[in-house]
Amino acid sequence: MGTVTAGAKAGLEPLKTGQLKAYKEFYVTEEIAAMLLCGNFAAISGVHIDQIEEHEIMLIMELYVNLSKELIEKLKMKEQ
């Protein structure tokens, strides 16, 4: 685990992000957190790939965001 971003209902409190070392997963957790501002939540991310290229990082971030959107939509449907 590299980074945790937590938030509260309807953005009443500012997002809080904690990260280990100089990891950059906050780019992922904070983007996902912005989509979750509807309740109490924690977005957690940790990725480690040796010698990763910048374009591969961008692909991973896109995958994270797309999977998160899909999960959010499924959870919304389940609530109905």
Side-chain angles (χ1 to χ4, degrees):
M1 179 175 64
T3 304
V4 176
T5 298
K9 291 182 180 178
L12 297 175
E13 297 287 328
L15 295 175
K16 304 273 194 242
T17 298
Q19 63 190 58
L20 302 174
K21 297 186 182 180
Y23 297 132
K24 305 278 192 276
E25 284 94 345
F26 68 91
Y27 289 114
V28 174
T29 61
E30 290 182 358
E31 184 163 349
I32 294 168
M35 293 185 274
L36 293 172
L37 293 177
C38 58
N40 299 327
F41 63 87
I44 302 167
S45 177
V47 177
H48 179 84
I49 301 173
D50 287 334
Q51 300 159 359
I52 191 168
E53 302 285 329
E54 187 171 341
H55 73 278
E56 294 170 314
I57 293 170
M58 299 308 292
L59 290 172
I60 288 171
M61 288 182 62
E62 182 180 339
L63 179 62
Y64 260 110
V65 170
N66 289 338
L67 288 172
S68 297
K69 286 179 182 177
E70 186 178 323
L71 176 61
I72 291 165
E73 288 304 313
K74 286 185 180 189
L75 291 172
K76 284 180 182 177
M77 289 172 45
K78 187 174 181 179
E79 288 178 353
Q80 296 175 354

